Amino acid sequence: MKEKDMLMWDETLFKESDIFELDYLPDYFPHRDAQLNTIRFALKPALRGGRPLNCLLFGPPGTGKTSASLKIFDELKEYTDKVLTVKVNCQIDSTRFAVISRIYKSVMGVAPPASGVSFNRIFDKLAKKLIDLDKVLVVVLDDINYLFYEGHADEVMYSLLRAHEQYPGSKISVIAIVNDPEVIYGFDQRVSSVFLPEEIEFPRYEFSEIDDILADRIRRGFFPNVVTAGAQKMMAEFVSESGDLRVGVDLLKRSGLNAEKRASKKVDEEDVKKAYTASRSLYISKTLSNLTDHEKLIIRLVAESKEITAGDLYEKFNAQTNLGYTRFYEIMNKMISANVVTADFSGKGSKGRTRIIRSVFKKEEVDALLK
Ligand SMILES: Nc1ncnc2c1ncn2[C@@H]1O[C@H](COP(=O)(O)OP(=O)(O)O)[C@@H](O)[C@H]1O
Ligand SMILES: [Mg+2]
């Protein structure tokens, strides 16, 4: 490397490193106008103090669902002080008690007692407070599928959606966020009869959209001309494989750090390739380490064959575990929404709808990490 191309030890390529944090909410949020407009429309009654429509945002990971809901929250706050907003990350708060505590804390400003108080008592105080304040509450239940695993989804939804029956004058609406919209068929009758949400799809981003969004982040986050055109294109290609923009944000940061590590003033394709390999294996090992033994068995069985029908997979699974179809079905749903396996209908088969299961990860990747 020529000296003029070398980065001095006190220099950096990053103009603004916040831009590459995952919780950074970008000003420029393109390619989601239709989705944002539908959410705005659903929440509009809140501007006049009414109860908004409920929403279901669905689509694969990294398609802007969480960010879109937070964008709308910011907008609401500009227009009105009638609305209180809370986002609950159900992956972290995965029980009814944790969810209600999170909401309570946000509305009341203090956390409820951590023990000795029932869900219903906390909910009671919350609903009365809302009536007192004369405020509308909009709750985002992000990654709500996590509430299903221990059977807490129904009670949370039931309480929030039917609050106005038990507490006349209270106004609560829910924005539920999931990867797989089929999740909502898991609600019991009491919930599904009142949860008739605006369904808003977030499709995978296409190459040109990804390229556009990455270009904007590059302009804001790096000093001018740091990222080469080839490096940018390669990032957009990698991200297109999954359509998951989270991968893109992570790639930008890691590629920049790689370039700094070798004291280069430019981020080039080598930096991106290295970053991609590292972030992918980190991502896979994180995902796999969160799986239970039964889930690990399934991922092994799926990765062994290029693709397998749900029926064949069940037979193999059952032969090794003796577990029945209901349990198998539950585990599969969880793995599909965690994006560990994909399930597409083949259109073939005697019953017309055979599900074809494929592993998202390669066999070698699974083998290496599940030893
Ligand atoms: N349309 C967009 N414009 C700019 N950045 C986006 C857009 N969509 C997603 N992102 C970025 O991609 C990352 C993942 O988005 P997120 O909202 O968390 O996706 P999801 O909730 O669907 O998994 C975030 O860092 C977010 O800022
Ligand atoms: Mg999200």
Side-chain angles (χ1 to χ4, degrees), residues 4 17 22 25 40 53 67 80 102 126 129 140 178 187 191-192 212 233 247 250 294 306 313 323 334 337 348-349 354:
K4 71 173 179 37
S17 54
L22 277 175
L25 195 59
R40 284 185 192 110
L53 304 175
S67 308
T80 176
R102 178 76 60 184
L126 174 73
K129 180 77 174 182
V140 164
V178 288
F187 288 123
V191 174
S192 49
D212 175 42
K233 179 155 179 269
V247 176
D250 190 57
H294 286 145
K306 255 186 114 165
L313 180 60
L323 289 175
K334 182 173 167 199
S337 48
K348 284 184 290 193
T354 309

Side-chain angles (χ1 to χ4, degrees), residues 35-323:
Q35 288 83 354
L36 291 171
N37 277 332
T38 312
I39 307 173
R40 284 185 192 110
F41 168 78
L43 296 189
K44 208 162 174 184
L47 297 178
R48 299 181 306 272
R51 194 159 58 93
L53 304 175
N54 300 305
C55 296
L56 177 73
L57 315 190
F58 67 94
T63 53
K65 302 180 296 297
T66 302
S67 308
S69 66
L70 294 176
K71 280 263 159 207
I72 294 289
F73 277 3
D74 282 354
E75 276 183 33
L76 268 178
K77 277 171 215 148
E78 274 180 36
Y79 284 103
T80 176
D81 55 7
K82 282 202 165 65
V83 185
L84 300 176
T85 56
V86 190
K87 188 195 83 163
V88 182
N89 179 345
C90 300
Q91 193 169 2
I92 295 170
D93 294 321
S94 64
T95 65
R96 61 186 150 236
F97 193 82
V99 171
I100 200 65
S101 300
R102 178 76 60 184
I103 300 172
Y104 182 99
K105 183 166 180 217
S106 163
V107 171
M108 306 289 207
V110 288
S115 64
V117 198
S118 69
F119 174 90
N120 288 336
R121 274 284 301 285
I122 299 176
F123 195 84
D124 181 75
K125 281 188 137 188
L126 174 73
K128 287 177 177 155
K129 180 77 174 182
L130 288 174
I131 297 171
D132 236 27
L133 294 170
D134 191 24
K135 302 251 184 188
V136 180
L137 176 67
V138 182
V139 180
V140 164
L141 294 176
D142 200 358
D143 293 323
I144 192 177
N145 46 300
Y146 286 92
L147 292 185
F148 282 88
Y149 306 146
E150 292 177 45
H152 294 255
D154 286 319
E155 190 163 349
V156 168
M157 287 292 272
Y158 188 79
S159 307
L160 293 172
L161 297 175
R162 303 205 101 148
H164 60 287
E165 295 173 9
Q166 211 186 341
Y167 301 92
S170 68
K171 294 158 197 153
I172 303 180
S173 86
V174 170
I175 299 178
I177 303 183
V178 288
N179 295 339
D180 180 354
E182 289 204 18
V183 163
I184 67 162
Y185 298 117
F187 288 123
D188 76 19
Q189 182 57 33
R190 297 176 311 156
V191 174
S192 49
S193 64
V194 286
F195 188 52
L196 305 164
E198 292 289 305
E199 295 190 9
I200 305 167
E201 180 175 6
F202 286 67
R204 286 181 205 284
Y205 289 113
E206 292 167 15
F207 179 84
S208 62
E209 297 171 334
I210 293 166
D211 195 47
D212 175 42
I213 294 167
L214 292 183
D216 177 70
R217 289 283 169 112
I218 289 171
R219 263 194 306 276
R220 283 165 205 254
F222 287 106
F223 285 107
N225 304 318
V226 163
V227 180
T228 65
Q232 184 183 327
K233 179 155 179 269
M234 183 180 263
M235 282 190 248
E237 274 162 6
F238 280 142
V239 178
S240 298
E241 286 176 11
S242 64
D244 181 345
L245 259 181
R246 197 166 296 126
V247 176
V249 174
D250 190 57
L251 262 184
L252 283 170
K253 181 172 165 180
R254 286 171 191 272
S255 306
L257 292 173
N258 284 345
E260 284 195 347
K261 203 189 276 170
R262 58 184 186 92
S264 164
K265 283 186 175 172
K266 298 252 179 236
V267 176
D268 68 20
E269 287 157 65
E270 272 315 301
D271 299 313
V272 177
K273 227 183 263 168
K274 234 164 108 188
Y276 185 69
T277 317
S279 79
R280 184 169 164 82
S281 71
L282 190 81
Y283 169 71
I284 299 173
S285 70
K286 204 177 121 217
T287 310
L288 296 184
S289 69
N290 281 330
L291 302 180
T292 65
D293 286 347
H294 286 145
E295 291 162 359
K296 283 181 184 157
L297 172 63
I298 289 196
I299 185 81
R300 256 201 213 100
L301 294 174
V302 177
E304 261 169 25
S305 31
K306 255 186 114 165
E307 51 176 57
I308 184 166
T309 65
D312 290 349
L313 180 60
Y314 169 64
E315 270 170 32
K316 287 190 180 180
F317 178 73
N318 174 264
Q320 294 200 31
T321 62
N322 254 325
L323 289 175

